[in-house]
Amino acid sequence: MTDTVIEPPEGRVALDNYPSRPDVTGPFLRWLQASGLAAPGAWLLDPCAGEGLFSAAQRLHGFRPLAVEIRPECEASLVAATGGPDRVVIGDALAHPYWPGVGVVTNPPFSHTMEFIDQYGREGNRPFAAFLQRLNYMAPKIERPIEWWARWCPSHALNLPKRPAFIATCSSPACKRRYPLERAKTLCVCGGRLSRTVDMTEYAFYVFGPEA
C-alpha cells in the first residue's frame, strides 16, 4: 500500500498510472471473445502493463498475456500476473514495437495515447489493437491533423457499462487530496476518510481492427 498523495492542482497520478480494475477489463475481454477477434488461448500484448492487473485479468479469461512496462519495480508482479519471465519485457514500449503479429489490449497513459496508437494501432501486422480512453478522446482536436483521422479510424468504440474509478479522494471539504484507488476506505494524512471516486467522464475501448 502506498502513501503517495496526488496533490492539487496537478491532480493526476505520476506517469498517468491508472490501473485497469475488473469492472474495466471484464466487460471488454468478454466482448473480445464473443466478437471472434481473439479466442481463448490467444496471445494478447499490453505495452502499458503497469503492475499487471490487466494481464492477470487476461489469464483469468483464458488468454495468454504478454507485457511491456517501463518501470523496473513492476517486473516481479508482472511475472506473476503473466505466468512467466519470458512473457515480460521491462523497457520503453514506444521505442520498439514488441511482439509483432500479436493483438494489443491496453490502458495507455493519457498523455501518450496518440503515440501508442501510432506505434501499435496497425503497425507490426497485428490482428487488432484496443485502447481504453475517455469517450470524448476521439472528438476532433486541433493537434490532430486530418491526415491522422484518415489513417486512424477505429472499427469499434465500446462504451464501458459503468464509469470507472481510478483514484480515492479525501472526504474532507477543506482537503480533497487524491490517492491511488487502493487507499479507499482508509484515512488521509489530514484524518479525513478516503472514498472511491468515480470518473466524471464515460470511457470506451477504441478498437482498431480488420474492419477499420
Side-chain angles (χ1 to χ4, degrees):
M1 183 176 294
T2 178
D3 290 322
T4 302
V5 182
I6 309 162
E7 294 280 6
E10 292 85 358
R12 297 192 64 80
V13 177
L15 298 179
D16 275 348
N17 179 31
Y18 293 88
S20 304
R21 311 286 170 176
D23 58 336
V24 171
T25 58
F28 177 75
L29 292 172
R30 290 192 293 271
W31 175 87
L32 195 60
Q33 289 186 358
S35 70
L37 279 179
W43 292 100
L44 296 179
L45 168 62
D46 185 350
C48 314
E51 295 179 352
L53 285 181
F54 213 159
S55 298
Q58 291 169 18
R59 286 184 72 193
L60 186 64
H61 283 77
F63 298 109
R64 293 186 289 176
L66 300 167
V68 181
E69 172 56 39
I70 199 169
R71 294 173 296 160
E73 62 268 27
C74 296
E75 184 171 9
S77 61
L78 278 173
V79 169
T82 60
D86 58 328
R87 300 182 177 189
V88 176
V89 169
I90 299 300
D92 184 355
L94 292 176
H96 179 77
Y98 291 95
W99 282 295
V102 174
V104 169
V105 179
T106 191
N107 175 6
F110 179 83
S111 57
H112 295 287
T113 296
M114 284 184 63
E115 296 167 72
F116 276 98
I117 292 176
D118 286 339
Q119 178 76 289
Y120 290 92
R122 286 183 180 165
E123 302 300 328
N125 193 32
R126 302 183 188 280
F128 67 90
F131 304 88
L132 178 67
Q133 197 44 263
R134 292 177 174 178
L135 188 59
N136 62 1
Y137 182 79
M138 297 299 281
K141 292 181 174 62
I142 193 168
E143 65 268 23
R144 297 174 195 163
I146 190 63
E147 291 79 13
W148 193 92
W149 295 106
R151 183 180 185 188
W152 301 119
C153 181
S155 56
H156 302 82
L158 304 165
N159 291 35
L160 294 182
K162 295 181 180 180
R163 291 182 181 180
F166 294 112
I167 60 173
T169 305
C170 180
S171 59
S172 172
C175 177
K176 295 298 182 183
R177 288 183 174 89
R178 300 178 180 185
Y179 293 79
L181 186 60
E182 61 265 24
R183 287 294 308 273
K185 298 183 179 180
T186 65
L187 296 180
C188 177
V189 292
C190 75
R193 189 169 180 82
L194 301 179
S195 60
R196 180 177 181 270
T197 305
V198 177
D199 202 284
M200 297 180 65
T201 305
E202 305 289 343
Y203 275 72
F205 275 95
Y206 292 101
V207 182
F208 299 87
E211 300 174 13

